[in-house]
Structures are given as C-alpha cells and as structure tokens.
Amino acid sequence: MRCLVTGSAGFIGAHLAQRLVGEGHDVVGVDCLRDNYDVADKKANLAWVAASGPVDQRDLDLSADDLAEVVAGVEVVFHLAGQPGVRASWGDGLAVYTRDNVLATERLLVAAGEAGVGRIVLASSSSVYGEAARYPCHEDDLPRPHSPYGVTKLAAEHLGVAHARNEGLPVTALRYFSVYGPRQRPDMGLRRLFEAARSGSPFPRFGDGSAIRDLTFVGDVVDATVAAGGADLAPGTVLNVAGGSQVSLADLIRQVEELVGARVVIDQQPAQAGDVARTGGDTRRIREVLGWEPATPLADGLARMAAWAAASA
C-alpha cells in the first residue's frame, strides 16, 4: 500500500513512518523541517526512519507548495504535520498556527480529494476539549478549546468533517491525548523532566502540580493510527486516542525521580494561559469501531522512555 505521512520528521510521524516501512508499505514522507524546535532532532528522526527501510522523503510546505504530484497514487494519507504547543499560539504567534494547522490541512484535503485518495487520517488533539464539562470526554461532547492552538486543531478537524459531509471524502480524525515515549520532542514536558532529573538542571513546573494528563504511549498511538488507515469508517468519523493513564504532574515528577534515581529541582512558575486542569478521554467508540485499546501501562511506558533518555544522554 502506498502511504503518505505528513510531519514524517516529527515525534509521532517518525514512529508511524517506521511502523509502515516495517510492515512493507510504500511510504512517502513530507516534512519542511520548520525550526519551531531543533531541526537536528528532526533530521535524526528522518535518519532513524531511513535506517528501517526505503522512504520517499520530500521537502514540501503543505501551506504553499503544489501537492498534486505527492498525493498522486497514494492510497492512504496520514496527516500528522502541524504546529504544536499551546503557549506560543497566542497573539502574533497565531499566524503560524493558522498557516500550518488550518491552511495546510485544507490544501491537503483538496489535493487528496482531487487525487481520489482512499482514506485520510487527520491527527487532531485533546486540546479541542479545553476545560471540559465532564471527564472522561466523549467525542460528542461540545468542544471548548482553551487556547488558540486548540482552536486551530478544532478548525482543521472541522475542515475534514466538512469535506466528508459535502463530498464524501473518507476522513477520520483522531484526537490524540498527551503522547509520550522515546524520541519525544525536546520542548515537551516529560522529556524535559527526564533531562532535568538526569542533569540536575531546574525543571519549570507551571502551576501547583495538581494538573492531570491522560498520557498515551506513542506505540499505542501508532497502533490506533495504522488501524484507522486500514478501516472502512464512515466519512467524518472522530475518535479519541487516550491512554487511560491519568496522572498528576506532581505524581509524574515522583515517578521520574524513582526511575532516574535523582531528585528533580523545581523551578516554580505560575500557571500559563491555555493550560487546562485536566484531560481524559473516553475510548469506548474507538474500541467499538477499531478494536483498539491502549496496551502500554504508564509504568512500562515511562521505563521505556527512561531507558531511551539514558541511552541518548
């Protein structure tokens, strides 16, 4: 099967591309290597994927370049490219998020529709729920984004659903919840926590540590994404991909300290705009339609991330 993976140099995208290559699929990767974090990390991800097998890697900007050729002959599009992170999305930063999360998605959807792509899987986010009215969040709950980032992810998801309803475009949107694991982005909290524990450098803790996140191991996220790419789902289906490992930041710090064998020096900071008190996803629907459920307990996932962090130091 010929697959297109956008964001193939990113954290989740590289894991997904490696899985697809390992399963013998013909993989086209697209990534323009934006410098929102160290490009060396992205190039290392590309090298890691290439070591697993042949990948047709393209340097393309989804928001500006011609996409007709790259989607030609593709059977499944996995759209993971986008601008991540809540804190930089406010104010003038919104222009970048609008370009990379909204405009890029619309242009890709149009190109995929014109090429007759069989399935399109969009990476959405638990950020679309914001400060939810109930937990765990169900896909039919009213989205209430709490940040401009969440607004742009919801807009991208709505674009996919709009194309599905108007044209029958075979789009599935997956709402990922707090993905972690080896090769996590350098700006993400858990990687910074492991690095702080190992180095003794201060870890900025925003808020009092009571914030709860539903952590999902990257391998489980890839399993769900691959399953969605191979399933005959109704166009416009939206699914939660949540790990069922809801943990407070304070407890997470304690677990990382135990794994590393060192105390974390806390640099206490005020809570930041856009941060929510809690996340948690209801996974009954994805279990019903894909037979997927998270397979990696938090203790196992953290141990695997700790081993990677130690080997990378």
Side-chain angles (χ1 to χ4, degrees):
M1 181 170 66
R2 187 170 176 81
C3 307
L4 172 64
V5 178
T6 73
S8 53
F11 167 43
I12 305 172
H15 278 277
L16 173 62
Q18 187 200 28
R19 173 75 61 83
L20 294 170
V21 168
E23 292 180 353
H25 297 293
D26 181 10
V27 177
V28 180
V30 167
D31 203 300
C32 65
L33 299 180
R34 295 226 192 275
D35 61 355
N36 53 328
Y37 60 92
D38 194 346
V39 173
D41 274 66
K42 299 184 179 186
K43 290 182 177 179
N45 282 340
L46 291 178
W48 177 62
V49 174
S52 303
V55 178
D56 181 5
Q57 184 64 36
R58 311 287 186 90
D59 181 0
L60 286 176
D61 183 343
L62 298 176
S63 70
D65 292 335
D66 186 356
L67 304 179
E69 192 272 334
V70 78
V71 297
V74 167
E75 296 166 76
V76 182
V77 168
F78 296 97
H79 179 40
L80 278 68
Q83 187 72 11
V86 168
R87 294 177 186 130
S89 66
W90 298 91
D92 292 342
L94 180 58
V96 173
Y97 285 78
T98 303
R99 178 194 67 196
D100 291 348
N101 294 347
V102 183
L103 176 60
T105 298
E106 171 63 8
R107 296 185 79 249
L108 181 63
L109 290 168
V110 170
E114 292 175 347
V117 170
R119 292 192 181 91
I120 303 164
V121 180
L122 302 182
S124 186
S125 168
S126 61
S127 293
V128 304
Y129 290 112
E131 294 286 12
R134 64 169 180 170
Y135 294 95
C137 302
H138 189 273
E139 292 88 346
D140 293 334
D141 291 345
L142 178 67
R144 302 193 304 180
H146 198 55
S147 68
Y149 165 72
V151 170
T152 63
K153 293 302 288 186
L154 183 59
E157 182 183 300
H158 280 334
L159 283 171
V161 173
H163 279 278
R165 290 176 177 170
N166 283 274
E167 305 151 22
L169 200 64
V171 175
T172 299
L174 302 180
R175 292 175 175 169
Y176 296 156
F177 280 71
S178 300
V179 187
Y180 76 102
R183 309 191 71 85
Q184 191 182 48
R185 293 197 324 268
D187 60 303
M188 295 183 76
L190 195 48
R191 177 168 170 178
R192 296 173 69 186
L193 183 54
F194 272 108
E195 290 173 349
R198 294 188 58 80
S199 68
S201 59
F203 173 75
R205 187 181 74 178
F206 298 98
D208 62 4
S210 64
I212 293 172
R213 293 293 178 266
D214 193 343
L215 297 183
T216 315
F217 189 69
V218 65
D220 292 337
V221 169
V222 169
D223 287 343
T225 305
V226 171
D232 187 16
L233 300 176
T237 295
V238 176
L239 300 171
N240 287 335
V241 181
S245 298
Q246 297 183 35
V247 60
S248 71
L249 177 56
D251 188 39
L252 195 59
I253 291 171
R254 285 193 291 271
Q255 292 187 53
V256 169
E257 288 176 333
E258 291 176 3
L259 283 166
V260 176
R263 294 297 302 271
V264 173
V265 178
I266 300 297
D267 174 19
Q268 186 60 50
Q269 298 288 327
Q272 299 293 290
D275 288 350
V276 297
R278 181 179 178 185
T279 67
D282 186 317
T283 56
R284 286 175 295 177
R285 179 174 291 174
I286 194 170
R287 262 198 324 270
E288 291 168 1
V289 301
L290 293 182
W292 177 90
E293 56 186 349
T296 308
L298 181 60
D300 292 351
L302 290 177
R304 290 167 70 175
M305 192 168 178
W308 168 79
S312 303

